[in-house]
């Protein structure tokens, strides 16, 4: 319920977005959430995956893409929640041939631009790539007073607000918090405190991306 509200909420120029119908596989949690929202829930035919072909292909694309970027970045599979979010976001901002849902005509655009009315304006950075970033104030307080403020880190993705809005916040992890540690220790007990949400990230586009892991 909260996830659906987070996605369709927001502040488009024409006011809050309205949903009339949602299509699902009939999962009880989705049906319950849709009913609470007051939307209509159309479902696929039980036991016949071919009636849900579009969704099945999309899921397969996301799973295979996530597996690929994890391997390419050298990340352990336990980082899949960040990788899958990054993969989906990249797919939504990618410029490609598609059909404009309003005019039903082919256009060269992105899902992001069709949804927001403008292209994505943030940095486009591969998952797991090396970046420079300005740590959060709490992390800076732990650094030597005369030490460098900028840090080298690994890029994990974008922080997205409700309604799929973006305010130039990024997720990174300090390379020093990862290098030399077994993967199970990096996120031991869901150690999300190692992951930082920051405003300032620098990615050198003049050379090939570096993937330290």
């Amino acid at each position: 319920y909260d996830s659906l509200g987070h996605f369709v909420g927001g502040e488009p120029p024409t006011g809050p977005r309205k949903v009339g119908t949602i299509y699902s596989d009939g999962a009880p949690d989705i049906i319950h959430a849709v009913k609470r929202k007051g939307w209509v829930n159309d479902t696929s035919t039980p036991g016949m995956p071919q009636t849900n072909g579009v969704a099945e292909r999309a899921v397969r694309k996301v799973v295979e893409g996530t597996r690929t970027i994890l391997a390419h970045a050298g990340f352990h599979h336990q980082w899949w929640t960040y990788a899958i979010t990054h993969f989906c976001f990249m797919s939504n901002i990618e410029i490609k041939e598609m059909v404009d849902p309003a005019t039903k005509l082919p256009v060269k655009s992105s899902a992001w631009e069709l949804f927001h009315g403008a292209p994505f304006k943030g940095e486009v950075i591969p998952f797991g790539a090396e970046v420079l970033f300005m740590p959060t104030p709490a992390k800076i307080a732990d650094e030597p007073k005369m030490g460098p403020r900028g840090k080298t880190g690994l890029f994990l993705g974008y922080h997205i607000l409700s309604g799929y809005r973006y305010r130039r916040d990024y997720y990174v992890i300090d390379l020093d918090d990862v290098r030399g540690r077994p993967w199970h220790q990096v996120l031991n007990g869901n150690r999300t405190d190692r992951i930082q949400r920051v405003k300032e990230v620098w990615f050198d586009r003049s050379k090939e991306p570096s993937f330290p892991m």
Side-chain angles (χ1 to χ4, degrees):
Y1 178 83
D2 291 338
S3 296
L4 289 175
H6 180 84
F7 180 75
V8 302
E11 304 163 354
T14 55
R17 296 184 180 92
K18 295 182 179 180
V19 176
T21 302
I22 186 171
Y23 190 84
S24 76
D25 61 358
D29 289 346
I30 295 179
I31 291 176
H32 179 68
V34 170
K35 184 179 294 186
R36 287 182 61 190
K37 288 288 184 183
W39 302 339
V40 175
N41 181 40
D42 285 341
T43 62
S44 56
T45 305
M48 298 186 66
Q50 62 268 32
T51 65
N52 199 26
V54 173
E56 294 289 341
R57 285 193 298 274
V59 169
R60 184 168 64 249
K61 174 186 175 182
V62 169
V63 170
E64 292 175 351
T66 300
R67 188 182 296 122
T68 299
I69 65 173
L70 279 168
H72 187 258
F75 272 59
H76 190 274
H77 64 79
Q78 72 180 139
W79 290 81
W80 73 269
T81 54
Y82 289 94
I84 199 170
T85 303
H86 183 281
F87 179 82
C88 291
F89 191 79
M90 289 295 101
S91 297
N92 285 335
I93 66 175
E94 178 187 3
I95 302 296
K96 53 193 169 185
E97 295 289 340
M98 56 200 319
V99 176
D100 188 325
T103 65
K104 307 302 181 184
L105 297 175
V107 294
K108 193 168 185 179
S109 185
S110 68
W112 178 277
E113 183 171 358
L114 293 179
F115 190 71
H116 292 283
F120 178 69
K121 294 182 172 61
E123 289 282 352
V124 179
I125 306 174
F127 178 80
E130 180 178 314
V131 295
L132 293 177
F133 71 97
M134 185 64 71
T136 62
K139 294 291 185 180
I140 290 178
D142 294 333
E143 297 291 328
K145 188 170 184 178
M146 297 301 172
R149 287 295 178 255
K151 302 285 288 183
T152 300
L154 304 177
F155 188 76
L156 298 179
Y158 305 81
H159 177 74
I160 302 302
L161 302 172
S162 63
Y164 216 57
R165 294 172 297 133
Y166 173 64
R167 293 293 183 267
R168 295 183 181 273
D169 280 17
Y170 305 92
Y171 287 116
V172 297
I173 188 167
D174 193 322
L175 188 55
D176 290 338
D177 283 340
V178 180
R179 184 171 281 164
R181 282 191 174 96
W183 282 115
H184 72 275
Q185 289 184 6
V186 177
L187 285 181
N188 185 31
N190 195 27
R191 283 295 303 277
T192 54
D193 59 304
R194 298 188 192 276
I195 297 163
Q196 301 183 52
R197 174 181 161 188
V198 300
K199 282 284 188 186
E200 297 178 80
V201 169
W202 297 274
F203 176 63
D204 190 351
R205 295 189 167 280
S206 66
K207 59 183 181 181
E208 286 294 314
S210 172
F211 298 93
M213 301 311 296

